[in-house]
Amino acid sequence: MNLKLLLFLCVLFSFQFTNSQVLVPISSPAGYDNNTFGYNSSPIEFNGSLYLRYRKNNGNNVLFRFDGNQLTEIPSPANYDGNSAGYAISVSSFWPTLKPVVWNNKLYLGYNNNQFNTSTTLFEFDGTTLSPISNPLGFGDGQNSGGVKAMITTTTDAMYLNYEINGGGERVLFKYDGTTLVEIPSPPGYDATNDSPGIGLLDFPDNINSFFKEIPIIGNNMFLQYSGEDYSSDLTLLDLTTNQLTPYRGVGYDGVNRGFLGYPMLIDDVPYFKYINNEGLFKLVKFENNNLVTIDSPPGYSNEFSGYLGDPILYNNQLYIRAKKDNGSFQLLGFDGTQLTEIAPADAAYQQSQYGYMGDPILFNNNLYLRYYKGGDDTYRLFKLEGGSLVEISLPPNYEFFGRGYYGDPILYDNALYLNYYNFFGVYTLYKYDGSTLTEISTPTGFSNFNKGYTGEAYVAGSDLFLVYKSNTDARVLFKYNGTTLQELASPSGYETYGFIDSFHIYNNKLYMRYRHNDGQYDLMEYNGLTLGVDEVTTKQIKTYPNPVTDVFHLSDSEYDSFKTLILFDINGREVTTLHGDNGDGSYYIGHIAKGMYFLKFVYPDGTTKSLKLIKK
């Protein structure tokens, strides 16, 4: 063969191979390319396209469609096209979120208007036209504040929304059936005016001490949170047939800033919640037979602000929670259906104030793994719950030093647990744990200065684990790991200063993320080297919602019980678990599963199967 031809073919094949697995920037359009402007994240799939939020150079927030090749602007409507106005998304520590929702074959979004940019209007998008759903009278129809504040949840028949009255006062539940927006008035005592902000519908808080839970729907009731005019908070049930709201107030939970705090967890069709009583104790409370029943904490949990803190997780059909003891230590409590029992390490160094159980629970190989803080040397340790006892996993060398050790961020990948450790030299390091041995994944050159290394951000997609590392120059760089080799996916030219920002999302078998350009604007980045392990089979008969899901997803099919088995597979085709309905109405709990992309496989009595894609966030 001609030598020149051979060299040409070698270069060509090398180019094709290299570009089959590269990061490709989708540059922000002109007019969206000033410093800190551009792609603003929040991707959502609708009608076969990916919809994204961008911030214009004039400060307006705009919806864009991405079809895998090009970005198409969906201009903000008139009166919603000014600075700080337009497509609105809010995430708050205490209030529900205003987030894009696909329901009934339409995309629903919040928009802030030009005149009152804290007043928000719900818009309906059919793929072509943005149509406003007029704010109800008195709810953001002519004043600052007010309007829609959250898309709470959807059912097959309706979407439920949280609206705020003019001036920023009471929040009220509304039901939208696709045509009409109907107010569901707050119960008496929960319906203050705008002189009393924070009254009415609160929803479940999403704060640092909890895993955010989806709104539970059990039987014909939706479980909500309402705040009264006396500033106590109560569990409130919505009857989905009659639209009747019924609050439930437990004895001793009626003081100011006391009562229901959320954190729902379902066990054998019974919901459990977090409460704070009038003495300031955090309590685990179950709702059974229309009654609130307090689960007494063990002795030693009776001081103000002691008790149930959060991090609930189900393991072997028992509930495990994080609690604060009177002496200030944090401990694991197990609930067997009857009583709470403390499960503490034998070493007294974990019983001191501010030490003990830190959280980050994760299930692996049918064992529960947890993060602990040890007194004396102030190190963070990994523990395994085994046979009712806590077994410490020894720290690797060079980690037994003040403030060092296991920093959490556990993720499951390829039958192993991957963890973030912080060593003596101040480098964040990735470790692989196979159930018996901790193995260090060597930190790449250029990422090993003080407070640099593995950031703890990880995502399973295709046959690879994607990881983010912070370089010695403070750039954030994406790596992929296939179980053996850690490979840098170097930021493209023009993105080396900042690099990866956030927002993993799979669309059309490609991975999309948000990157920051050296000039300061934010751009969409595409990685096209994914290999999916299971063919996705779509079906119009069964849909999941919400998707992506945090903890609980629902099946919208009215015949959801017609299949024989529901199996969850990872992206590589490996079976993760067989799922069982949590309460007999098509809802399934996967809060203990690692985030990433999965497939639900429906097996029917006649042997036929169907599969749906499910994203766990």
Side-chain angles (χ1 to χ4, degrees):
M1 180 181 290
N2 183 284
L3 180 59
K4 290 184 178 180
L5 178 60
L6 179 62
L7 289 173
F8 172 77
L9 291 174
C10 289
V11 171
L12 177 62
F13 288 136
S14 173
F15 177 83
Q16 289 177 338
F17 175 77
T18 301
N19 281 274
S20 67
Q21 296 190 29
V22 294
L23 291 166
V24 179
I26 313 297
S27 298
S28 296
Y32 293 83
D33 49 6
N34 280 357
N35 182 31
T36 74
F37 292 78
Y39 174 37
N40 200 235
S41 192
S42 302
I44 187 168
E45 291 184 48
F46 171 61
N47 277 0
S49 295
L50 193 62
Y51 285 83
L52 312 159
R53 184 177 187 243
Y54 277 73
R55 191 175 185 205
K56 207 168 186 176
N57 295 348
N58 69 357
N60 187 241
N61 297 300
V62 181
L63 178 68
F64 270 77
R65 178 194 295 116
F66 180 67
D67 62 4
N69 295 301
Q70 65 180 9
L71 286 162
T72 302
E73 180 179 355
I74 314 297
S76 296
N79 299 321
Y80 296 87
D81 52 2
N83 181 26
S84 299
Y87 178 18
I89 299 172
S90 66
V91 178
S92 170
S93 296
F94 297 99
W95 298 109
T97 57
L98 185 65
K99 55 188 178 182
V101 171
V102 174
W103 177 72
N104 203 20
N105 298 318
K106 292 182 180 178
L107 177 60
Y108 290 87
L109 311 157
Y111 275 74
N112 288 337
N113 68 39
N114 296 347
Q115 185 178 6
F116 305 111
N117 59 33
T118 59
S119 177
T120 310
T121 301
L122 183 66
F123 272 74
E124 182 178 83
F125 182 65
D126 60 6
T128 304
T129 305
L130 273 168
S131 304
I133 299 171
S134 298
N135 285 339
L137 182 64
F139 292 86
D141 57 339
Q143 294 188 29
N144 226 353
S145 296
V148 63
K149 295 301 176 184
M151 284 80 152
I152 294 176
T153 193
T154 61
T155 65
T156 55
D157 301 319
M159 179 162 57
Y160 293 85
L161 307 118
N162 190 339
Y163 276 79
E164 182 179 77
I165 66 173
N166 293 341
E170 180 195 354
R171 296 198 176 202
V172 177
L173 180 65
F174 277 78
K175 177 179 179 180
Y176 182 66
D177 63 5
T179 303
T180 306
L181 194 61
V182 177
E183 179 181 354
I184 301 177
S186 301
Y190 302 84
D191 53 356
T193 66
N194 56 7
D195 294 327
S196 302
I199 302 302
L201 176 61
L202 296 186
D203 186 28
F204 296 141
D206 175 17
N207 65 35
I208 196 169
N209 293 321
S210 77
F211 290 158
F212 180 70
K213 307 300 176 186
E214 307 295 343
I215 300 295
I217 298 176
I218 302 176
N220 202 45
N221 289 310
M222 181 186 298
F223 287 68
L224 299 166
Q225 179 181 8
Y226 274 74
S227 175
E229 294 177 36
D230 55 6
Y231 290 99
S232 64
S233 179
D234 294 318
L235 173 67
T236 304
L237 268 60
L238 171 69
D239 187 307
L240 296 177
T241 300
T242 65
N243 292 336
Q244 179 69 37
L245 284 165
T246 304
Y248 290 85
R249 176 169 291 185
V251 176
Y253 295 96
D254 54 358
V256 175
N257 295 324
R258 296 298 189 254
F260 178 46
L261 293 179
Y263 309 173
M265 174 67 70
L266 292 174
I267 307 175
D268 294 332
D269 301 344
V270 177
Y272 289 75
F273 304 98
K274 180 182 176 182
Y275 273 73
I276 182 170
N277 69 14
N278 293 346
E279 285 72 47
L281 301 180
F282 294 112
K283 293 287 190 177
L284 179 66
V285 175
K286 69 177 178 178
F287 184 76
E288 191 171 35
N289 298 323
N290 290 330
N291 288 306
L292 290 166
V293 180
T294 298
I295 311 301
D296 291 329
S297 299
Y301 292 84
S302 57
N303 285 353
E304 187 177 17
F305 302 126
S306 294
Y308 176 29
L309 297 183
D311 291 315
I313 189 168
L314 282 172
Y315 167 59
N316 283 350
N317 206 35
Q318 291 195 40
L319 177 64
Y320 292 86
I321 62 174
R322 182 171 180 255
K324 185 177 181 181
K325 206 167 182 178
D326 294 344
N327 67 1
S329 68
F330 304 102
Q331 302 301 333
L332 178 70
L333 300 183
F335 180 66
D336 62 4
T338 303
Q339 63 180 6
L340 283 165
T341 303
E342 179 181 290
I343 305 169
D347 192 334
Y350 296 97
Q351 297 282 351
Q352 302 173 30
S353 179
Q354 303 305 311
Y355 296 94
Y357 175 38
M358 292 290 104
D360 276 327
I362 189 169
L363 292 175
F364 169 58
N365 279 356
N366 202 34
N367 288 303
L368 180 59
Y369 288 84
L370 313 151
R371 181 171 180 251
Y372 276 77
Y373 188 30
K374 186 177 182 180
D377 60 9
D378 281 21
T379 55
Y380 294 92
R381 308 284 182 126
L382 176 66
F383 272 78
K384 174 172 66 174
L385 182 63
E386 189 174 51
S389 299
L390 286 164
V391 179
E392 183 176 337
I393 311 300
S394 298
L395 284 175
N398 295 320
Y399 287 84
E400 293 185 347
F401 182 71
F402 177 82
R404 287 359 186 215
Y406 170 44
Y407 263 57
D409 302 312
I411 188 165
L412 287 168
Y413 165 70
D414 197 23
N415 299 318
L417 194 58
Y418 288 82
L419 311 162
N420 189 6
Y421 276 75
Y422 186 54
N423 68 21
F424 174 85
F425 305 100
V427 181
Y428 293 96
T429 307
L430 178 67
Y431 268 80
K432 176 181 179 179
Y433 181 69
D434 62 6
S436 59
T437 305
L438 274 170
T439 303
E440 180 180 347
I441 311 298
S442 297
T443 302
T445 302
F447 296 83
S448 56
N449 282 359
F450 183 74
N451 278 347
K452 303 301 189 290
Y454 175 47
T455 64
E457 296 163 278
Y459 190 80
V460 176
S463 58
D464 295 300
L465 174 63
F466 289 85
L467 308 157
V468 181
Y469 278 75
K470 191 173 186 180
S471 76
N472 297 343
T473 63
D474 283 339
R476 287 157 51 83
V477 180
L478 188 66
F479 282 75
K480 72 171 184 176
Y481 182 72
N482 61 8
T484 304
T485 305
L486 190 64
Q487 176 188 349
E488 180 179 349
L489 299 177
S491 298
S493 176
Y495 297 85
E496 308 93 332
T497 300
Y498 301 103
F500 173 89
I501 298 300
D502 55 26
S503 187
F504 290 108
H505 188 88
I506 294 175
Y507 166 66
N508 279 356
N509 297 348
K510 295 178 182 179
L511 184 63
Y512 290 90
M513 299 148 288
R514 188 163 72 123
Y515 271 66
R516 192 176 185 187
H517 194 274
N518 295 349
D519 292 337
Q521 76 268 21
Y522 295 93
D523 292 329
L524 183 66
M525 189 69 65
E526 174 186 283
Y527 173 75
N528 59 8
L530 293 183
T531 302
L532 303 185
V534 175
D535 290 332
E536 180 185 357
V537 181
T538 60
T539 172
K540 295 182 179 180
Q541 285 71 42
I542 301 178
K543 294 180 180 179
T544 62
Y545 64 93
N547 193 2
V549 56
T550 303
D551 289 287
V552 178
F553 70 88
H554 309 271
L555 301 181
S556 62
D557 182 15
S558 60
E559 300 298 326
Y560 68 85
D561 58 354
S562 63
F563 56 84
K564 180 180 178 182
T565 308
L566 179 57
I567 307 171
L568 187 71
F569 287 88
D570 68 16
I571 199 70
N572 306 305
R574 291 184 292 263
E575 182 176 336
V576 176
T577 185
T578 298
L579 296 174
H580 304 282
D582 287 329
N583 52 43
D585 68 346
S587 63
Y588 295 82
Y589 175 76
I590 57 168
H592 60 290
I593 302 298
K595 60 185 178 182
M597 181 175 172
Y598 295 88
F599 289 92
L600 295 169
K601 183 177 182 180
F602 299 84
V603 182
Y604 290 86
D606 62 0
T608 59
T609 63
K610 293 177 182 177
S611 295
L612 288 178
K613 182 173 71 175
L614 184 71
I615 303 295
K616 171 68 167 61
K617 62 182 179 179

